[in-house]
Amino acid sequence: MSKALRVLVILLVIAGGLLIWKPWKQTSAPGPSKTLRYAFEVETTTLDPSRITDAYASRMMGQVFEGLVTLDEKNEVVPCLAEKWRSEQDGKRWIFTLRDGVSFHADPIFGPTGKRMVDPQDVEFSFTRLLGPGATSGYAIDGVLEGAAAFAKGEAKKISGIQPLGPKEIAFDLLAPDPLFPRRLSSVILGILPREAGTLAGGKVFGKDVILGTGPFRVTARSDTAVELARNENYWRPVAGNVEKIEIKVIKNDALRLAAARNGEVDLAYVPLLLAPTVAEADANGFRLKEGWKDARLEVHRTLNSTFLGLNCERLDAPLRRALNQAVDRLALAKVFLPGTVLPSLGPVPLALAGYKEPGDAARPPDIAGAKQSFEASTNRARMPIEILVHDKEASEQVGQLLQAQFKAAGLDVRLTKLEYGAVLQRMAAGDYDAFLMSFEYVYSTPMPILEGLLNSKRIPSPNFWRYRNIEVDAALQDFQRVASVEEGNQLASKIVGMIQNDPPAVYLYQTLTPIIVSGRLGEVLVNGHSVPMLWAVKIK
């Protein structure tokens, strides 16, 4: 890059907008413009589903991309780009039928007309790309589809377990039967992209320079700090909302973002849980904002998440891990937050999953005597204090300090080490830790892949970060291949969560609800379990 060009780029950045991508122009429908202003927490470095690096990006990408199935506002799996599906070979093969009339957002990459319909080859391309260079979402199919491992190692040119069948059908062949396989596919990371995304000219990068999906909104401009979306006038289904345009502005500072919502500068903003008590309070009718918020309101939604203290099972023996689990007062932790927004939990399965019931009582008092007895049986007593890694997100440090005090009451000595969020993730992946405090947003809407990924010894070191090995749990996980219904799957999940209480890979603490501030201009904002606000269903008054 020449010196003059570098100066020009710097000036554009300083100018603020830097909305660098202008795709194929479409004519908007007649009528008054309805613009929704959305304050976002983090920079949008990419809008590529297979390159997603944080849970926040899915909120935006869910407006643009769609998968074969999706979650509705009740967290039920419903058809999306696939209108139906069927299983063969006792759940080892699944065949999806694509619906008619679904087109990608218009763009010159599709030739003179700028348009193209979705076909099975796009589905094959999108799933294959999950295991390509630079992808971060390969865990969704690695170890699930036949041929995925061989493709990831460069031993095959295609994933043998993905087979287009004619103009409308595509088959997935699994390594093992999964009677609930469609429920794996509801996340936006499995959104369908046009296969042209793999052959972009001029050094363009999908997710930055070109962003095309099938969703109700299309990207008209983007930078790391601002994104503009416009209604997709060629969307395949009618929508209840009247939003014509979405202006997304990144406001990383929590206080400034909430101030913008308070002043009416934005219509929608997510609230950090730790700050929720400063802006709202709970009463018999639910939640309400405190004085000074004019006509704004607080809405709270159930999403698929879990917060826990991960434990290194190769460093900490079962009695010590059990002692930590017994010493925790989960109900006291929940009281730090806005009442009703944090639910004590004993396991990783999301409480928001329809029909799932967690075994045991997560709100029970801590068993201090039991914790002391377990600690006495531990061979790790001499290596105390245990180091707990905390970070700068999700109230990690504050919760870590509370845990430290609770452990001390049971004679368990721990020390906190605060690092940047990314540094904690790196040490998790390397196994360089005693314990770490973390929250997960789950991309699955069924218990089987969550438990299989986190607890199966074959999944060490990722996503079984704690290097957990339990022969009985491994055997129980195999029973998921034989469940015949969602109800049976939930019952088996409850059994497995009960099994890990005496041999815990982590101290599961709580699951959170998601509070958002909504301006009086907007009608109800629905949010599904993957934290995607359904902005296409919003009505601007």
Side-chain angles (χ1 to χ4, degrees):
M1 181 185 295
S2 68
K3 181 178 180 181
L5 184 55
R6 285 198 301 270
V7 171
L8 177 59
V9 170
I10 292 171
L11 289 175
L12 286 172
V13 172
I14 293 173
L18 194 56
L19 301 179
I20 59 177
W21 180 57
K22 294 288 185 180
W24 190 264
K25 185 176 181 181
Q26 286 185 321
T27 302
S28 299
S33 173
K34 301 288 187 179
T35 299
L36 187 153
R37 301 160 302 167
Y38 181 4
F40 212 66
E41 300 99 311
V42 297
E43 294 181 344
T44 58
T45 55
T46 181
L47 292 180
D48 182 340
S50 70
R51 271 66 174 166
I52 186 172
T53 57
D54 60 69
Y56 304 100
S58 63
R59 300 173 186 169
M60 193 183 306
M61 290 193 293
Q63 316 304 318
V64 179
F65 298 98
E66 298 174 305
L68 297 175
V69 304
T70 189
L71 283 186
D72 64 13
E73 68 276 10
K74 298 179 181 178
N75 293 337
E76 297 283 0
V77 173
V78 294
C80 194
L81 299 188
E83 63 179 355
K84 60 183 179 180
W85 49 84
R86 67 185 187 275
S87 66
E88 298 177 351
Q89 303 174 22
D90 296 325
K92 197 174 180 182
R93 164 170 271 220
W94 285 87
I95 299 173
F96 292 79
T97 302
L98 302 182
R99 66 175 71 246
D100 293 324
V102 179
S103 63
F104 289 108
H105 301 153
D107 193 89
I109 67 171
F110 298 127
T113 66
K115 299 179 180 179
R116 187 170 69 72
M117 295 295 180
V118 177
D119 61 32
Q121 286 71 32
D122 296 310
V123 179
E124 180 184 27
F125 167 79
S126 301
F127 276 81
T128 302
R129 196 166 180 269
L130 293 172
L131 292 174
T136 60
S137 307
Y139 59 85
I141 60 173
D142 189 22
V144 177
L145 293 181
E146 286 187 359
F151 175 80
K153 295 176 183 177
E155 298 171 356
K157 294 183 179 180
K158 297 180 64 177
I159 298 177
S160 60
I162 307 177
Q163 296 290 335
L165 305 175
K168 286 295 177 183
E169 290 190 333
I170 186 162
F172 294 89
D173 293 313
L174 313 185
L175 291 170
D178 183 356
L180 305 178
F181 176 70
R183 302 179 75 87
R184 285 179 172 264
L185 310 182
S186 59
S187 171
V188 71
I189 70 167
L190 299 174
I192 304 306
L193 321 177
R195 56 186 179 275
E196 288 85 354
T199 56
L200 297 179
K204 292 183 178 179
V205 177
F206 191 85
K208 294 185 178 181
D209 307 306
V210 177
I211 308 167
L212 301 171
T214 62
F217 294 97
R218 55 189 176 86
V219 179
T220 55
R222 73 153 293 276
S223 72
D224 287 355
T225 58
V227 177
E228 290 182 1
L229 306 178
R231 177 187 290 223
N232 176 13
E233 301 297 344
N234 296 318
Y235 193 44
W236 56 272
R237 61 178 171 180
V239 296
N242 63 356
V243 177
E244 297 280 347
K245 181 180 178 182
I246 303 173
E247 295 179 348
I248 301 173
K249 180 180 180 181
V250 175
I251 307 177
K252 296 172 67 173
N253 183 280
D254 291 337
L256 292 179
R257 188 171 62 257
L258 294 179
R262 188 182 189 119
N263 297 333
E265 299 169 16
V266 299
D267 299 306
L268 182 66
Y270 280 66
V271 183
L273 271 178
L274 199 62
L275 293 182
T278 68
V279 302
E281 53 194 4
D283 58 26
N285 298 318
F287 303 93
R288 59 186 177 86
L289 292 171
K290 295 182 177 181
E291 291 186 16
W293 282 87
K294 298 180 181 179
D295 59 351
R297 66 185 183 277
L298 188 77
E299 295 185 1
V300 177
H301 301 274
R302 300 191 71 176
T303 58
L304 309 180
N305 64 80
S306 178
T307 297
F308 51 85
L309 180 69
L311 306 174
N312 190 331
C313 297
E314 294 179 347
R315 293 187 182 182
L316 311 181
D317 63 16
L320 177 54
R321 289 184 274 118
R322 185 162 55 248
L324 294 167
N325 195 39
Q326 293 169 311
V328 170
D329 187 342
R330 294 171 175 82
L331 193 59
L333 296 178
K335 290 179 179 178
V336 174
F337 303 95
L338 182 66
T341 61
V342 170
L343 307 175
S345 176
L346 294 171
V349 178
L351 302 176
L353 285 181
Y356 174 72
K357 294 182 180 179
E358 189 174 74
D361 180 12
R364 68 195 178 203
D367 182 3
I368 300 300
K372 291 180 178 179
Q373 185 176 3
S374 296
F375 182 55
E376 286 299 317
S378 172
T379 60
N380 295 145
R381 286 176 293 167
R383 71 182 315 276
M384 304 296 280
I386 295 171
E387 180 188 41
I388 298 178
L389 304 181
V390 297
H391 51 82
D392 54 351
K393 295 181 181 294
E394 300 142 356
S396 176
E397 185 176 16
Q398 293 86 345
V399 172
Q401 291 168 349
L402 290 172
L403 287 175
Q404 188 176 36
Q406 292 181 3
F407 292 145
K408 184 177 181 180
L412 302 172
D413 188 15
V414 304
R415 61 183 175 88
L416 305 182
T417 298
K418 185 176 181 180
L419 302 172
E420 291 184 352
Y421 183 76
V424 175
L425 293 177
Q426 290 176 356
R427 289 185 60 174
M428 283 170 52
D432 181 21
Y433 68 89
D434 292 333
F436 61 86
L437 197 57
M438 187 61 63
S439 298
F440 279 176
E441 289 271 356
Y442 294 114
V443 302
Y444 302 119
S445 50
T446 182
M448 185 272 193
I450 294 173
L451 293 176
E452 197 276 336
L454 297 178
L455 303 178
N456 195 325
S457 59
K458 294 181 180 179
R459 292 295 191 137
I460 298 171
S462 175
N464 185 342
F465 296 104
W466 18 80
R467 291 157 166 76
Y468 182 67
R469 292 179 173 87
N470 185 309
I471 295 175
E472 293 181 354
V473 171
D474 280 346
L477 290 170
Q478 295 299 310
D479 292 338
F480 273 114
Q481 299 175 13
R482 293 181 285 276
V483 302
S485 66
V486 173
E487 182 181 6
E488 284 187 26
N490 284 334
Q491 290 174 351
L492 178 57
S494 180
K495 172 187 172 182
I496 293 173
V497 171
M499 292 173 65
I500 65 174
Q501 295 308 305
N502 286 326
D503 181 27
V507 179
Y508 294 99
L509 303 173
Y510 53 80
Q511 299 181 20
T512 63
L513 280 67
T514 300
I516 58 175
I517 291 175
V518 181
S519 78
R521 296 180 64 233
L522 306 186
E524 183 182 13
V525 177
L526 303 175
V527 178
N528 73 13
H530 295 313
S531 290
V532 175
M534 301 179 182
L535 301 183
W536 56 90
V538 171
K539 292 184 178 180
I540 297 180
K541 300 175 182 179

